[in-house]
Amino acid sequence: AQTVTQSQPEMSVQEAETVTLSCTYDTSESDYYLFWYKQPPSRQMILVIRQEAYKQQNATENRFSVNFQKAAKSFSLKISDSQLGDAAMYFCAYRSARNNNDMRFGAGTRLTVKP
Amino acid sequence: EPEVTQTPSHQVTQMGQEVILRCVPISNHLYFYWYRQILGQKVEFLVSFYNNEISEKSEIFDDQFSVERPDGSNFTLKIRSTKLEDSAMYFCASVGTSGANVLTFGAGSRLTVL
């Protein structure tokens, strides 16, 4: 079974600084998708960024970028120029390309942004 | 931008009562899901639904749970006899057949069982 591990239960960053959230996963598949979701205090799940495993280029979305290391099964999220509104729980997720039902979440990292 | 709509946003119920959580997925999406998040814990898969039937369910989704799509737009999760441990946030999600397999989540329904 695929598992997703987020080894940092909590992280903090100073406003305007950069922070990296770690995620590793375990899979025997070669084709899959990886996601980072943000969950603010409202508890809604908001997609931050996604990466297709067949793409070598790291995905970027404005201040958010990933470091996707397929061989190491690592998928970290970098938030640049952190803003107060970035404070939230961040969940890493894995989804099989073969099985639409198979989406697994990590335990989450709570990010605090200090003014 | 299309969104997944969930009602109610919060429901408080007595143990043993039946609860129905409702979801309106994005209109052209074909795959529907329910996830659960107990406070402070990870998001857990409950069930997926495609072509008007359950395609997969987790071990959490026991006989107390059921899903249906009664009218082609709503997608409901029913808990027949709620237990204290059913207290959680329940998220509905949907995905279409195009794009990057991105699940769009609703805002969630908070269920509190007393």
Side-chain angles (χ1 to χ4, degrees), chain A residues 4 33 35 37 39 41-47 50 52 89 91 95-97 99-108 110, chain B residues 31 33 35 37-45 48-49 55-56 88-89 91 95 99-107 110:
Chain A
V4 179
Y33 305 94
F35 307 88
Y37 280 89
Q39 188 181 44
S42 67
R43 298 193 72 185
Q44 183 162 6
M45 297 288 283
I46 302 167
L47 178 69
R50 60 172 173 82
E52 291 92 338
M89 281 289 285
F91 291 96
R95 186 149 184 249
S96 169
N99 180 355
N100 277 323
N101 301 313
D102 188 8
M103 185 160 185
R104 310 291 171 177
F105 287 85
R110 182 176 301 282
Chain B
Y31 295 86
Y33 306 83
Y35 285 83
Q37 186 185 30
I38 295 172
L39 184 64
Q41 299 187 22
K42 69 166 65 177
V43 179
E44 301 172 293
F45 169 75
S48 58
F49 194 86
S55 47
E56 188 169 340
M89 197 76 167
F91 292 101
V95 65
N101 270 274
V102 176
L103 265 66
T104 300
F105 284 86
R110 183 191 300 273

Side-chain angles (χ1 to χ4, degrees), chain A residues 51-65:
Chain A
Q51 174 85 40
E52 291 92 338
Y54 64 85
K55 290 186 176 179
Q56 291 186 328
Q57 188 172 7
N58 288 324
T60 63
E61 286 287 342
N62 301 314
R63 298 182 294 107
F64 298 88
S65 61

